[in-house]
Amino acid sequence: MSAETQHPFTTVIGLEVHVQLQTQTKLFCGCITKFGSPPNTQVCPTCLGLPGSLPVMNRRAFDLSLRAALALNCKIALFTKWDRKNYFYPDLPKGYQISQFDLPFSYEGHLEVCDPKGAFNPRTVRITRVHLEEDAGKSMHDETAGTADSRIDLNRTGTPLCEIVTEPDLRSAEEARAWLNELKLLLVYLGVSDCNMQEGSLRVDANVNLHVPQEDGRIAKTPIVEIKNMNSFRSVERALIYETERQWGEWQATGAEIGSMPKQTRGWDDSAGITRGQRHKEESSDYRYFPEPDLVPVTVTEEQVNEIRSAMGEPPSVLRKTLADRWKIPANDAGVLVNQGPDLVQYFEDLASRVGEGKVASNWMQQDVLRTLNERGGSITDFHVRPEAVADIIARVQKGDFDTSRGREIFASVVEKGTSVAEVVAGMGIAAVDDGDLRALCEELIAENPKIVADVKGGKEQAAGGLIGKAKRKNPNVNPAKVRALAIELIQALP
Ligand code: ZN
Ligand code: MN
């Protein structure tokens, strides 16, 4: 259920997302962008903003952001330039950020909210603009020892960021989260960003207010609040739910409308589960934007755009369809696989091509591989049971060595022990039951179960199912389908 059906108002949400582009080096200098190095070891005169240093644009960063913009269905500006955004902050050594103001390199795109469970109507979220800019450094505050200790790490300064701004088209917290999931998936599939939120490669700010219909037909709008400091998509959802309720309470108490106060910024406190007022937001005139004199404008040709477009790869929205067609699997299966990311899709395709049957491979992915990953944590790339091992188990099931449920036990054991399928099979004492043994076992069952025999003989073939559990107790390695078929055959042959 979404907020719009519960409340006498509409929640209106727009997002601003910053993603770190997957480049080796920074946007305007050759410093590396590796995460987690000792503070201030990845800096040079340019990203420190020392006098006399000059920025040079990283073309790879520009091409990656073009790819993102094209995937977001944006129009591409063939002429774009850089601007200085001036503000004072300790983690910004130059005193300005190189960004794009009035001529962003792309604008007017869109991306649909995707929800495989069908909880939302497919809503198109318009993208206002996508632009490129450099990141600031990081302030670290340590107030534990009683002495307020603040340090600055400038490793991040100058890291290329792609800023994606949406129109206020989202209507609930859940929908915002679903849209962010789709955006992240898209950027990961296209190799634009790893979107790792823990490492700060993806940051989200949300703008939210309420539209409240009045008795006279007018729509009253509450003041827009910008929420910051959300460290996961779950936090984004929680913060938006909280802020919706807070604004509704404030509206009922004060009736304050948009324009009656400057735009407010509130920080999300994840452990307290609340937003706190931080400051009143600067207007864009406060930043005194002006064109960056040290960088030339960037021009792009139609050919360059087409080249990037043709090398782009399939976005998730397309891959969901092509994967379903290629492996003849249901749309829902394809959706689940694609939503796990490109590495898992690659694992699945490897498995499916070894097995030769997409649906069988997909079932094993969903019921065994994914469940195991969920339980154990970790990513598919680190998962020690590779597709060839799973394919080996499936091949043995298909050959009749053992049934699927026995195959599952073997899979679990391979996961647990980290040994090969052959070793587990040998260790469990599993050997293919030969035809002579199977026949002897069926004859034994027939002798011991006259009631079932009479039922089958009387035309109730399904009664033979009663023999399978008994057969497995005698020999856990028997194949149920084979027991069933042979038992029926023997019973029918009885005088
Ligand atoms: Zn540098
Ligand atoms: Mn920005």
Side-chain angles (χ1 to χ4, degrees), residues 212-276:
V212 192
Q214 301 300 291
E215 273 170 9
D216 62 3
R218 192 176 68 90
I219 305 283
K221 300 174 182 173
T222 63
I224 297 175
V225 166
E226 181 174 346
I227 317 173
K228 290 187 171 290
N229 299 343
M230 298 168 289
N231 294 322
S232 66
F233 291 168
R234 171 89 189 107
S235 299
V236 173
E237 188 180 8
R238 288 178 65 211
L240 284 168
I241 289 170
Y242 172 84
E243 189 57 25
T244 303
E245 295 298 332
R246 194 196 65 79
Q247 286 190 25
W248 178 237
E250 190 162 287
W251 160 258
Q252 287 174 310
T254 68
E257 292 189 41
I258 192 166
S260 63
M261 59 179 82
K263 186 174 160 185
Q264 196 190 20
T265 300
R266 298 180 69 88
W268 172 245
D269 180 335
D270 205 55
S271 49
I274 60 169
T275 62
R276 295 180 208 276

Side-chain angles (χ1 to χ4, degrees), residues 16 18 85 97 131 133 163:
E16 245 185 68
H18 286 83
K85 180 180 182 178
Q97 175 193 30
H131 73 249
E133 63 187 26
E163 179 177 323

